Amino acid sequence: MKLRDFVLRRIILAIPVIFGVLTITWFLSYVVGDPLAMYVTERTPDAAIPGIIRARGLDAPLVVQYFLYLTALFQGDWGVSTTTGADQPVLTVLARLFPATIELSIVAMSIAIVLGIPLGIISATRKDKAADHVTRVFALIGVSMPIFWFGLMLKYVLFYQLSVWDLPHLPGGDRYNFRAFGSWQPTTGFLLIDSLLFEHNPALFLDAVVHLIMPAFCLGYITLAIITRMMRSSMLEVIKEDYITLAKSKGLSERVVIYKHALRNALIPTVTVIGLAFGGLITGAVLTETIFNWPGLGRWATNSILNSDIAAINGFTLLVAFIFVIANFIVDMIYGVLDPRIRFG
Amino acid sequence: METDVQNNNGNETIAKLLSLIQIIFVMASLLFGGIIVLGNMAYTIQGWMGVSLEVPAFVSEWILQSLIILVLSFFLIRANQGVMERVSDAFGTSFYLYVFLTVVYATLGTIGLIFMILIVFQLLLIFIPGVRYYWFEEFVEDTKPRIKETRFTLHLIRKSPLVVVGILLISFMVMVAITAPWTTTYAGTTMVFDDVRLPPGSSSNDIKQNYEYLFEDTTLNPDIMPDYYYQQLTITQKYLETVEIPKLFIGVSELETGVDVVSVNITFRIYSLNVTDYEDMTVSQRQSYLYANASVVDESLLQYIELPDETGGYVWELQFTASQKTNAWSVNTRVVISYFSIFPVHIWGTDSYGGDIYSRIIWGAQEDLKIALSVVMVALSFGAIIGAASGYYGGKLDELVMRITDIFFAFPGLVLAMAIVMAIGVRSLETISIALMITWWPTYARLVRGQVLSEREKLYIEAARSSGASDSRILFSHILPNTIQPVIVQATMDIGSVLLVAAGLAFIGFGPPVGTAEWGMMIARGQNYILSAPWMTLYPGLAILVTALSFNLVGDGIRDILDPKLRRR
């Protein structure tokens, strides 16, 4: 199979999944929940409700409602969110908050990859030694730790305790120091990019970096643990292969064998895990952002839960599912490129 | 215009018809659920009564599941009423919900009943002397190699320190959860309002008022006149723990003498006497030891008497004297001692509502383990059945199931669970469990399907098929036992992750509004006080960490042990 056919096949396979996602969100909010809650807020006058029911087709048969829902979604009408104060279209809010979450997730992912892959290699090459045990327990703790608790503890130690002892400490929350810098004009929405390229304000950039450290590490730890474990087990498998023995018997140094021969092949399953973990990161962002007061999608979703803002949750679920599907798609692509056998499978 | 009216009329008839069907569905499903619950309870109680029936653990699991579904269905119906009131035309929206619920009930109910019948039948067989299980010899012969294999696995487990530690931790947590009533110092929902955010190890600022019922009766004997009660009351150090003096409350009210016109004299006395001395003395002799008394005629006697602040023996005496003998009379009588005691020490501090963290963590172990275990069990059984069928029969069924799981996999677990809880609209731990069950089953369906696919083509299955075994026999007694190991590993590790996600959901605010001791909610309660009262957050988080870690340790270790590539003799 050619690469183009492979890509096409994957795209065709993704379409039913996307429709399934739409159907599930529709089912949840229209069949199980109260469909009217999507479009009615506390500020809606009672007299307007019958009009909304008629306009939204809530009195129509279910099948018709389903198609109305799909049409509305494709036209960019994702309901009205009440969480941010004024009633705002969900899509607008999503677009505004999305960059903050993505920025946090990308930094977290970078931390996880940069630390996780070497840790996995160390653990695999020193199997059953002290370093291996330490790394394994470290990784196990990472997958067993409630991320929200970890965040709170980090905040307590690195922000509060250090400031009590008059030591330099990390900021306890927020995206940047609002008091020092005032508001900024989002161009791309990524503060790290905007502050350098558009605001020309290196101090703001540094401040943003300092604010990123704690939430990003908190968010990245689980992914770090997952990557380390995957890297370790795939490395262990690859090391046993014949071509590694061959490379060793050729007289190549351990370093060359591990980093040139084994690493490339061991990376393949790790790449999959990284792609899948990206979706998990956005989930984790829900909890991390709440704790670090990060103005992204996650905190907004949590607030909308407390406000019983169904439209917001629906929009958030849809967006996250789309990201997840796209991430899986990209992983499939990379997998296909890295391992040609998959394409012919 | 005319057509509109006609349409409306048509709609109304359909609406009536559908609501009738809805009612029938609800009744049917409630009936089914009721049968399961009652049947299970009867069976369990039979076990308690000492009929020496061993009640297997999953029996009570079935009770739990049925109860969860029953409770939830009530909430769902209530939520649906809200929809019906606001959108009267939307009669169809919750119709499918009832269909779904009924299907769930029917499945659970049938499985539960089959289990029950099988168990009862087999137990009966055991109790009839001379009857041997027809499959017994065959069974022993069949399982010999498997037993050998299991022994070897156990040997490997014993050799692996991490797994041993994990198993010990799991048993510890389970023990903690089971023994909660005896090891806790406070109830899970107790709030001592004077003890808000006390640091670990501090004693309580408040004192606790206790009541002890000495006497409680509503009927008196008309044959004994005067009707007469007395009882020893010993004031021990227990009643004098605080500076507050113990009080004896006497309440006699709602005197009914039937049709007769009688006047009743009610007298209450306390003597500084022991009961033996009291019995030896005559009425006039007792008078010199009288400590306090109260009496009324034809009225309610509602009064308290402060007892002395020292230890000693007393006798209280209650006497009803009627002006003439009557046939029937009744009166509501209570003698209650109220005393104050010191609250136990808050070992791990208190939270912002004055709840004791230590006790709440132990009660929370019950809640959290219950959620994690029930979610994994239900998801596992449902997913395994679907996955096995899909892998074994293949074809269109397989394709359909895999597409459905694809859709479920398109959501991250927490987000889908969030959406489900939000749609159900009831904030409770049961809703969280249900949402997680719905989220988790595809994992097992995929896993089991893959295992069954790889096992299906093997030679021994071919042999079984050619010797005429039926599909279900091949699937359940040949394929499934051989695919169970990775499933067990996955389930063990999933208990840890379900615990984390459930705690996360409770943390976000999906738990019940107040009170319930659950670890995630305890952390949520503590997060606003993280700087001033870090113990509110620290201990529940450690509990989650240790529990999840123990399951992960076991799962991780067992996976290595069961891996055929690493398993060398």
Side-chain angles (χ1 to χ4, degrees):
Chain A
M1 205 190 292
K2 278 183 194 159
L3 192 61
R4 195 195 58 195
D5 294 349
F6 176 72
V7 172
L8 273 179
R9 224 192 91 164
R10 290 287 147 168
I11 291 177
I12 291 168
L13 275 179
I15 290 172
V17 172
I18 288 178
F19 267 96
V21 165
L22 293 173
T23 313
I24 284 193
T25 49
W26 171 78
F27 183 84
L28 285 176
S29 59
Y30 274 69
V31 182
V32 184
D34 179 355
L36 199 55
M38 292 265 289
Y39 306 105
V40 175
T41 68
E42 280 167 17
R43 285 177 281 275
T44 314
D46 279 350
I49 289 180
I52 292 175
I53 292 176
R54 199 149 291 273
R56 296 287 169 181
L58 294 181
D59 49 356
L62 271 184
V63 185
V64 178
Q65 281 195 39
Y66 178 59
F67 282 104
L68 284 176
Y69 170 79
L70 288 188
T71 341
L73 277 188
F74 283 120
Q75 284 169 353
D77 176 8
W78 288 28
V80 179
S81 160
T82 52
T83 308
T84 40
D87 296 353
Q88 275 179 313
V90 170
L91 214 52
T92 321
V93 184
L94 286 178
R96 199 183 68 229
L97 299 177
F98 190 56
T101 303
I102 287 294
E103 191 176 59
L104 179 60
S105 308
I106 288 176
V107 175
M109 183 56 97
S110 319
I111 293 176
I113 292 174
V114 168
L115 293 178
I117 290 181
L119 275 179
I121 297 172
I122 290 169
S123 182
T125 48
R126 293 169 180 68
K127 188 170 184 287
D128 291 334
K129 303 259 171 59
D132 180 31
H133 287 307
V134 171
T135 318
R136 279 179 75 185
V137 171
F138 175 74
L140 268 177
I141 289 177
V143 278
S144 320
M145 184 129 62
I147 184 170
F148 46 101
W149 178 74
F150 183 51
L152 285 169
M153 287 295 120
L154 275 182
K155 201 164 140 180
Y156 181 72
V157 175
L158 295 182
F159 166 60
Y160 179 69
Q161 269 313 333
L162 289 184
S163 65
V164 164
W165 295 330
D166 276 337
L167 290 168
H169 56 88
L170 291 171
D174 294 330
R175 210 169 167 195
Y176 67 105
N177 191 342
F178 182 80
R179 260 188 224 159
F181 295 98
S183 58
W184 58 292
Q185 184 57 46
T187 317
T188 58
F190 296 94
L191 185 54
L192 291 183
I193 297 173
D194 280 4
S195 60
L196 279 185
L197 291 186
F198 299 101
E199 303 258 314
H200 306 293
N201 192 347
L204 179 59
F205 176 79
L206 276 182
D207 191 53
V209 169
V210 170
H211 276 82
L212 254 172
I213 295 174
M214 214 156 45
F217 182 69
C218 171
L219 183 55
Y221 186 21
I222 292 183
T223 321
L224 166 63
I226 296 171
I227 291 177
T228 309
R229 285 169 71 154
M230 197 65 220
M231 197 63 215
R232 175 179 181 270
S233 60
S234 63
M235 199 70 181
L236 279 179
E237 252 170 50
V238 169
I239 287 176
K240 278 191 205 141
E241 299 279 338
D242 288 344
Y243 64 86
I244 298 294
T245 324
L246 177 72
K248 276 185 189 163
S249 52
K250 272 200 299 192
L252 293 177
S253 71
E254 182 80 18
R255 207 181 164 74
V256 173
V257 171
I258 294 293
Y259 289 96
K260 279 220 146 169
H261 293 71
L263 180 59
R264 283 195 186 176
N265 288 297
L267 268 180
I268 295 174
T270 314
V271 166
T272 328
V273 166
I274 290 173
L276 294 178
F278 196 76
L281 270 185
I282 290 173
T283 320
V286 175
L287 298 164
T288 317
E289 287 179 5
T290 319
I291 287 153
F292 291 105
N293 199 23
W294 192 261
L297 286 178
R299 198 188 61 168
W300 174 68
T302 324
N303 287 341
S304 51
I305 288 162
L306 297 179
N307 293 345
S308 298
D309 187 351
I310 290 186
I313 292 300
N314 206 25
F316 176 71
T317 315
L318 269 181
L319 181 71
V320 171
F322 285 151
I323 294 172
F324 218 53
V325 170
I326 292 167
N328 281 346
F329 180 73
I330 293 172
V331 167
D332 272 354
M333 294 295 97
I334 296 174
Y335 214 95
V337 172
L338 284 180
D339 189 351
R341 281 172 299 178
I342 304 288
R343 275 183 268 160
F344 300 105
Chain B
M1 211 52 200
E2 226 170 90
T3 51
D4 252 17
V5 172
Q6 273 178 1
N7 272 347
N8 273 345
N9 282 342
N11 266 353
E12 225 166 274
T13 343
I14 296 171
K16 271 181 191 161
L17 196 68
L18 281 179
S19 46
L20 189 72
I21 298 176
Q22 278 184 18
I23 290 167
I24 293 171
F25 265 118
V26 174
M27 295 306 287
S29 49
L30 287 182
L31 199 70
F32 257 113
I35 290 173
I36 311 168
V37 172
L38 288 182
N40 280 308
M41 275 184 179
Y43 187 68
T44 317
I45 289 166
Q46 203 185 353
W48 292 337
M49 300 280 281
V51 195
S52 74
L53 291 186
E54 285 264 324
V55 181
F58 59 83
V59 174
S60 40
E61 271 308 310
W62 281 112
I63 296 178
L64 181 76
Q65 289 159 23
S66 317
L67 272 179
I68 289 173
I69 289 162
L70 264 182
V71 169
L72 197 81
S73 74
F74 276 118
F75 282 121
L76 286 170
I77 292 164
R78 212 176 61 188
N80 174 56
Q81 280 170 353
V83 183
M84 299 289 277
E85 278 160 20
R86 289 173 75 176
V87 197
S88 50
D89 294 358
F91 59 83
T93 45
S94 48
F95 174 67
Y96 297 95
L97 178 69
Y98 291 125
V99 178
F100 171 72
L101 260 182
T102 316
V103 170
V104 172
Y105 273 135
T107 326
L108 277 183
T110 322
I111 297 172
L113 284 179
I114 290 172
F115 263 124
M116 290 307 109
I117 292 166
L118 281 180
I119 293 161
V120 172
F121 185 66
Q122 303 227 338
L123 284 173
L124 282 180
L125 277 184
I126 289 175
F127 285 120
I128 298 170
V131 174
R132 293 290 301 272
Y133 279 116
Y134 64 94
W135 43 262
F136 196 74
E137 310 280 326
E138 198 187 326
F139 177 74
V140 170
E141 204 55 41
D142 269 6
T143 44
K144 254 181 195 162
R146 210 174 285 161
I147 288 172
K148 206 175 162 194
E149 194 69 14
T150 315
R151 285 232 175 97
F152 183 62
T153 309
L154 285 177
H155 166 75
L156 287 180
I157 287 175
R158 272 199 297 275
K159 284 240 166 161
S160 154
L162 286 185
V163 180
V164 173
V165 169
I167 289 174
L168 286 179
L169 278 177
I170 292 177
S171 348
F172 174 71
M173 289 316 291
V174 171
M175 280 306 292
V176 163
I178 291 172
T179 57
W182 301 283
T183 51
T184 50
T185 45
Y186 288 82
T189 47
T190 304
M191 295 184 269
V192 187
F193 290 107
D194 282 358
D195 294 358
V196 170
R197 299 203 299 281
L198 288 182
S202 44
S203 51
S204 173
N205 294 326
D206 205 353
I207 49 176
K208 180 182 177 187
Q209 190 168 15
N210 306 289
Y211 297 98
E212 219 170 87
Y213 283 78
L214 299 178
F215 180 72
E216 199 174 7
D217 204 354
T218 50
T219 53
L220 295 173
N221 192 346
D223 292 338
I224 305 169
M225 194 57 61
D227 203 349
Y228 180 69
Y229 299 90
Y230 65 91
Q231 201 179 357
Q232 166 94 21
L233 170 64
T234 316
I235 302 294
T236 56
Q237 206 54 48
K238 180 178 106 178
Y239 297 101
L240 306 168
E241 249 181 22
T242 65
V243 287
E244 296 280 337
I245 303 165
K247 288 172 186 161
L248 194 65
F249 285 83
I250 162 78
V252 181
S253 61
E254 291 165 31
L255 184 72
E256 294 280 345
T257 50
V259 288
D260 304 328
V261 183
V262 265
S263 96
V264 182
N265 185 8
I266 306 164
T267 319
F268 184 78
R269 293 191 189 89
I270 302 178
Y271 299 102
S272 319
L273 280 174
N274 278 324
V275 74
T276 42
D277 298 336
Y278 173 85
E279 278 164 358
D280 289 344
M281 290 180 187
T282 62
V283 175
S284 52
Q285 277 174 321
R286 289 173 193 156
Q287 283 307 316
S288 51
Y289 296 97
L290 187 70
Y291 175 74
N293 70 334
S295 81
V296 287
V297 179
D298 280 347
E299 269 182 70
S300 296
L301 176 64
L302 299 168
Q303 200 172 339
Y304 71 83
I305 293 160
E306 290 193 343
L307 294 171
D309 196 6
E310 56 191 35
T311 54
Y314 296 88
V315 171
W316 63 261
E317 171 198 286
L318 182 62
Q319 193 178 332
F320 297 91
T321 321
S323 57
Q324 65 175 66
K325 197 165 177 174
T326 56
N327 285 326
W329 62 326
S330 71
V331 65
N332 198 356
T333 316
R334 267 178 195 168
V335 181
V336 183
I337 184 166
S338 131
Y339 63 98
F340 292 85
S341 59
I342 297 168
F343 273 118
V345 173
H346 300 291
I347 306 172
W348 288 347
T350 58
D351 64 19
S352 53
Y353 290 88
D356 183 63
I357 303 262
Y358 161 77
S359 305
R360 282 170 64 81
I361 284 179
I362 290 180
W363 288 112
Q366 283 192 348
E367 298 288 343
D368 279 86
L369 287 179
K370 206 158 57 184
I371 295 177
L373 292 177
S374 63
V375 166
V376 170
M377 278 183 79
V378 172
L380 175 62
S381 24
F382 188 69
I385 290 170
I386 300 259
S390 136
Y392 187 72
Y393 294 107
K396 282 193 177 148
L397 175 73
D398 187 32
E399 193 66 20
L400 180 71
V401 170
M402 283 306 108
R403 290 294 82 78
I404 291 174
T405 54
D406 270 350
I407 294 164
F408 274 89
F409 278 117
F411 296 96
L414 183 87
V415 175
L416 182 58
M418 262 166 64
I420 295 171
V421 179
M422 202 64 189
I424 294 174
V426 182
R427 280 169 197 201
S428 70
L429 297 181
E430 285 73 24
T431 322
I432 292 180
S433 313
I434 297 269
L436 287 177
M437 287 167 195
I438 297 174
T439 318
W440 234 271
W441 70 267
T443 320
Y444 297 105
R446 278 253 173 124
L447 186 63
V448 172
R449 172 187 173 265
Q451 292 291 322
V452 170
L453 270 185
S454 69
E455 210 70 16
R456 194 176 63 169
E457 304 303 331
K458 290 200 175 155
L459 258 182
Y460 71 97
I461 301 299
E462 207 52 52
R465 196 173 291 137
S466 53
S467 63
S470 68
D471 274 356
S472 60
R473 187 176 170 83
I474 293 176
L475 190 54
F476 285 104
S477 44
H478 294 282
I479 295 185
L480 277 185
N482 286 307
T483 59
I484 208 75
Q485 286 179 347
V487 179
I488 287 175
V489 171
Q490 180 70 31
T492 318
M493 304 198 43
D494 271 356
I495 293 175
S497 12
V498 167
L499 192 74
L500 290 184
V501 177
L505 284 173
F507 174 80
I508 295 174
F510 281 132
V514 275
T516 316
E518 197 277 338
W519 294 335
M521 284 162 64
M522 291 176 70
I523 296 179
R525 205 180 254 193
Q527 67 168 327
N528 293 332
Y529 304 99
I530 177 75
L531 305 184
S532 60
W535 54 85
M536 276 173 70
T537 316
L538 178 68
Y539 296 112
L542 279 180
I544 300 182
L545 173 61
V546 168
T547 316
L549 184 65
S550 62
F551 283 105
N552 276 327
L553 278 175
V554 173
D556 203 46
I558 290 183
R559 183 172 52 190
D560 281 359
I561 288 168
L562 293 181
D563 190 351
K565 281 185 208 154
L566 305 172
R567 193 173 175 136
R568 302 257 192 276
R569 291 192 188 213

